[in-house]
Amino acid sequence: MKTEERIYDAVIFDLDGTLLDTLTDLADSLNAVLQQHDLPLHTKDEVRRFVGNGIRKLIERAIPGGTEHPQYEQIYQDFCTYYGEHCMDTTEPYPGILSLLDWLKKSGYQTAIVSNKADFAVKKLNRIYFDGMIPVAIGEREGIRKKPAPDTVFQALRELGVEAQRAVYVGDSDVDLETAANAGMDVIPVCWGFRSRAFLIEHGAVPEQIVANVRELREKVIASQIVQK
């Protein structure tokens, strides 16, 4: 028969495109820095395709010649500075995210953010938008491999005191799908962020697991508690 038994003790979230709609601030910051260096600007849709693998990869994809551009390092530094000052101009949580996090906390789930965004920005945005709701927030930093390597996820799980098989990863990109697989975790892909449903399926997502809104995500987490005994 079916009975209530919690499968997951923790939910690990990606940040950009999953919890927060950061695209406008990312695009505006990138273009402001590109303009300072007299380089071609990019549309928001182009920037959407550039993000997901960290700031250095974003800059590499956005400038002619990538890492071979003579100003690559300076552009990277300028972007970090500019985005640090403008990362909250238009950024906001996706609809329903705050109520979801409140429900998870009240229901006894542990939560964390694991992102390829720079660590300083991840911690700042977590503090501003989710203060007291998500205890662990980890971004890209020296000395630990970024996603899709599982290292930052494992670090978050250690800080939460939860084993990988007792956690589920929630993200919006192919990088997140790879990260969950590399960490040996279940994954719930979301298609409200930076990648489409078709893109996620093309990159290995199980269609039935993809969710289109926060209500469906909550139902997936709740359904995980109903198991055959």
Side-chain angles (χ1 to χ4, degrees), residues 90-155:
T90 65
T91 288
E92 60 183 2
Y94 285 101
I97 286 295
L98 293 178
S99 61
L100 172 70
L101 293 175
D102 182 63
W103 173 77
L104 287 169
K105 184 175 182 179
K106 289 178 178 176
S107 299
Y109 289 92
Q110 296 269 37
T111 54
I113 295 170
V114 173
S115 171
N116 276 345
K117 184 189 287 293
D119 193 61
F120 76 87
V122 173
K123 287 178 167 52
K124 178 178 181 178
L125 292 171
N126 181 44
R127 184 175 64 253
I128 296 300
Y129 292 100
F130 311 122
D131 188 33
M133 303 180 82
I134 303 179
V136 174
I138 298 172
E140 182 183 8
R141 64 193 189 208
E142 294 295 327
I144 185 168
R145 295 184 301 168
K146 65 182 180 181
K147 301 184 300 183
D151 303 38
T152 46
V153 172
F154 290 157
Q155 178 61 33

Side-chain angles (χ1 to χ4, degrees), residues 45-76:
D45 196 53
E46 287 173 326
V47 176
R48 181 194 305 273
R49 296 194 296 271
F50 293 162
V51 298
N53 296 92
I55 292 177
R56 287 195 174 276
K57 202 67 175 180
L58 167 63
I59 301 304
E60 177 185 340
R61 290 165 173 162
I63 63 177
T67 56
E68 300 302 315
H69 191 285
Q71 293 179 292
Y72 169 79
E73 192 63 34
Q74 186 60 55
I75 294 168
Y76 166 76

Side-chain angles (χ1 to χ4, degrees), residues 9 31 48 58 64 93 98 100 134 147 162 170 196 202 228:
D9 294 322
N31 282 328
R48 181 194 305 273
L58 167 63
L98 293 178
L100 172 70
I134 303 179
K147 301 184 300 183
V162 177
V170 179
S196 68
E202 181 183 344
Q228 296 286 345

Side-chain angles (χ1 to χ4, degrees), residues 14 16-18 20-28 30-31 34 41-54 57-59 61-62 79 94 172-176 190-197 199-200:
D14 173 52
D16 297 62
T18 301
L20 291 179
D21 184 355
T22 58
L23 185 59
T24 298
D25 286 340
L26 285 166
D28 289 351
L30 177 64
N31 282 328
L34 293 176
L41 307 186
H42 293 285
T43 66
K44 189 186 295 187
D45 196 53
E46 287 173 326
V47 176
R48 181 194 305 273
R49 296 194 296 271
F50 293 162
V51 298
N53 296 92
K57 202 67 175 180
L58 167 63
I59 301 304
R61 290 165 173 162
F79 177 85
Y94 285 101
D172 73 307
S173 74
D174 51 321
V175 175
D176 297 316
V190 307
C191 62
W192 62 66
F194 295 172
R195 302 290 187 267
S196 68
R197 177 183 177 87
F199 179 94
L200 292 170

